[in-house]
Amino acid sequence: MKKFLNLVMFVCMVLVIGSTNISYSNEVNPVGYGNHLNKNNIVKNGEWIYYIEYENDDRLYKMNIYENKPIKVTDFAIKNLNMIGHNLYFISMLENRGIYKLDVKSMQMKKIVEGNVDYLTVTDDNMYYYKETHTGKLCSNTLDGSNEKVLIEEDVIEPIIKGSYVYYISPENEGCIYKMNLKTLKSKKISEKYTRCMNINDSYIYYSNFKGMYRMDLDGNHLVKLSDDQHIKNILVGETGVYCFKDNYIMWIRNDGEVINRYDIDQYFMSLGIIDNKINILRHNSQEYSQVYHLDTRIVEDLDIEYKKIEAINYPYVVYCNDKYELMIYNIESREKIYITDEYEQAWIRDNDLFYIGNRDRICKSSLDGENITILTNQDEAYTGKIFEDGIYYIQYKDEGYKYLKYIDFSGKDKKVILDEMEYGFSDNLFLVKDDYIYYYKDKEIYRIKKDGTEKTLITKTKKNVYEMFISDDKLVYRDGHDMYGINLRDLSVKPFIYGLQKILEVDGEYAYFIKDNLYDNIDTLCRYHLRYFTIDVLAEAKEIKVAKGYNDKVVYQAGNEIYELDLKTKENKLIIKNVSNKPYIDENKIYVKIYNDKVHLLELNFIDK
């Protein structure tokens, strides 16, 4: 019996996951299901995390998530962290064995249970733990440790408290899963299979053995095999599926059994857990002692589409071009794919309508379910265009070397020519619309013209070619060769901003994000320029920086095939997505990105806020 227990302990000891407890009323215990399995090694209270430091003999440490400075709390080895309100409960393993309670406000610590205990789970009202005796027993106790009761007088492994039941693995009964009513203390076997480790959410029990991974309901019915993988050691339950831990990566299996993706993590992490509905990875690093990394478990979606390009997003609808160059709509919630057309150039979403340049260069309109298609323009009329607040502005070729700039409103009723006989030098992409004016670049000159085609004004002549143009608030920002300039849209004055840059990535609010010219050709320097105070911040250096987006006090950017999140307050720069195969699509507070793997998947990840 002890050999069986030690075997299970051995295969589950490498990866550690925070605490999973039954329902809590106290908001400072944001742990949630999914963290039972490996001794509850990371919990959170407000701005502080409490964790077990394996690099320092299993001592308890705490760390402010904004300061990133570890502070040692105990001088003895511990396990099984449980946070209830402002009290932290844990087990002392070697010295003065028993259960301790730590008030994290006063930092006063008290021993409340004597003895060699294991598998501590604390709820709002009681503690549950396994106590080693000559037979072994599962006990309950009040939170002050004054009223211990024996629930099961035999060895148990991985007991999980769920509502009024306890679920556990019985080594005396071939490692099968049992369910016991905490009121009547009656047990019943709900699985006939040997179990190595398990976890539970509101609807299902997930468990693994040497034949694979399985799911069944809470009564042991409706058994489904999710994976044939024989090496799954740990299971973490999220809202959209389960996370299985193997060696140096996390594998996500959706509830229907499909393996969606794997997240690589290095071998130097210390603990893993769900806090605030996110996977937290606490790492040990020689340069930075410890860090907390997050992968969102609530919002992560597998869009299950193969695509060449995302055209537009209006959640839950994703408009994209598939591998056959067909225009498609994908509904994230229903997982329905809708075919629109097999010939198109561009597509946009406005409110609940889809607009696209379709077959024979015509602008078409349809509902987001692909129905009610209306043709808005004539054949061969729209070559390329842009959508703005008031309608679609598009280019039509007239004769060789000449173009029209035209406008059509969203109903298709109001259509007009704005610029006639534009020379070939007019750029299809370098025009912007702001309030009553259109700003455009042509033949080394930037112009402004009213939307009705009147009051054409030359703003400035450029020194070289203009490559990027952005409008933010009352400024038009553009790159002329290797220099960045700004035009004040109120008085049309021109001001040089930055000399010596490779590319403007984004202009958002008061900031412009750009790549600075670098003496080292293989390294990009990402910088941020304040458009009002004219200051420059150097944000990061990396290879192949392609996109940057600021939000709150953070910046998300892509470098090569990785996406990072930079905290501008703490200067913490953390990797949040690996193996990116293309430029991500950033829409409000979400990242849509394609990942390298056997099948092409699109993952939607929320930006992570601490």
Side-chain angles (χ1 to χ4, degrees), residues 279-297:
I279 296 176
N280 286 250
I281 305 173
L282 187 62
R283 302 175 59 193
H284 179 77
N285 187 296
S286 57
Q287 280 76 36
E288 223 171 319
Y289 187 76
S290 55
Q291 297 173 316
V292 178
Y293 290 79
H294 305 287
L295 293 170
D296 199 304
T297 61

Side-chain angles (χ1 to χ4, degrees), residues 13 27 34 74 119 176 258 289 301 325 343-344 379 402 433 442 458 505 530 569 593 603:
M13 66 182 291
E27 62 180 6
T74 69
Y119 302 125
C176 296
E258 183 177 358
Y289 187 76
E301 292 282 354
Y325 297 94
E343 186 177 341
Y344 86 102
Q379 179 177 324
Y402 290 87
V433 177
K442 180 181 77 71
L458 171 64
L505 298 176
H530 200 295
K569 287 184 176 180
V593 59
L603 295 181

Side-chain angles (χ1 to χ4, degrees), residues 106-119:
S106 66
M107 296 307 291
Q108 297 295 314
M109 186 165 54
K110 179 183 180 182
K111 189 175 186 180
I112 55 176
V113 174
E114 292 279 355
N116 192 6
V117 298
D118 203 351
Y119 302 125

Side-chain angles (χ1 to χ4, degrees), residues 301-497:
E301 292 282 354
D302 163 42
L303 303 192
D304 193 24
I305 60 177
E306 297 186 358
Y307 76 100
K308 292 291 185 182
K309 180 185 177 184
I310 293 179
E311 295 286 356
I313 292 176
N314 183 5
Y315 191 90
Y317 297 101
V318 178
V319 179
Y320 68 99
C321 171
N322 67 11
D323 288 346
K324 298 177 182 178
Y325 297 94
E326 298 169 331
L327 183 63
M328 306 286 293
I329 295 180
Y330 180 76
N331 187 319
I332 295 174
E333 294 178 347
S334 69
R335 299 188 176 273
E336 180 184 9
K337 297 177 186 178
I338 303 170
Y339 166 83
I340 302 298
T341 180
D342 59 359
E343 186 177 341
Y344 86 102
E345 295 295 332
Q346 291 174 278
W348 313 275
I349 291 178
R350 176 68 180 178
D351 297 327
N352 292 314
D353 293 315
L354 171 68
F355 297 87
Y356 59 94
I357 299 178
N359 186 26
R360 299 182 180 179
D361 293 339
R362 296 177 295 191
I363 296 180
C364 302
K365 174 183 177 181
S366 78
S367 54
L368 290 178
D369 58 6
E371 302 293 332
N372 306 316
I373 297 177
T374 304
I375 297 175
L376 302 182
T377 63
N378 298 324
Q379 179 177 324
D380 299 325
E381 185 171 345
Y383 170 70
T384 184
K386 289 185 176 183
I387 193 166
F388 292 97
E389 291 296 322
D390 58 339
I392 298 171
Y393 295 77
Y394 61 98
I395 305 297
Q396 179 187 8
Y397 279 109
K398 182 183 178 185
D399 298 313
E400 186 175 355
Y402 290 87
K403 308 170 186 176
Y404 291 120
L405 175 62
K406 290 187 170 183
Y407 162 84
I408 190 169
D409 71 355
F410 296 122
S411 69
K413 297 178 180 179
D414 184 11
K415 185 170 68 172
K416 59 189 175 186
V417 177
I418 298 173
L419 292 169
D420 191 4
E421 296 187 357
M422 293 298 301
E423 290 86 351
Y424 185 75
F426 176 78
S427 171
D428 296 343
N429 296 315
L430 293 180
F431 71 92
L432 301 167
V433 177
K434 173 72 172 177
D435 299 328
D436 295 329
Y437 292 95
I438 300 169
Y439 300 84
Y440 64 95
Y441 168 74
K442 180 181 77 71
D443 290 340
K444 295 188 176 181
E445 294 175 334
I446 297 177
Y447 292 87
R448 183 178 78 170
I449 190 171
K450 273 201 165 183
K451 289 181 178 178
D452 60 5
T454 64
E455 298 185 19
K456 178 179 175 181
T457 304
L458 171 64
I459 300 177
T460 184
K461 293 181 177 290
T462 62
K463 296 178 180 179
K464 298 181 180 179
N465 291 322
V466 170
Y467 295 97
E468 298 106 28
M469 286 175 56
F470 302 86
I471 284 183
S472 180
D473 297 331
D474 61 347
K475 292 182 177 62
L476 187 151
V477 179
Y478 65 95
R479 177 166 69 93
D480 182 358
H482 289 273
D483 304 325
M484 182 166 64
Y485 292 82
I487 298 174
N488 188 319
L489 300 184
R490 296 175 181 174
D491 58 13
L492 300 186
S493 59
V494 181
K495 180 181 178 63
F497 283 162

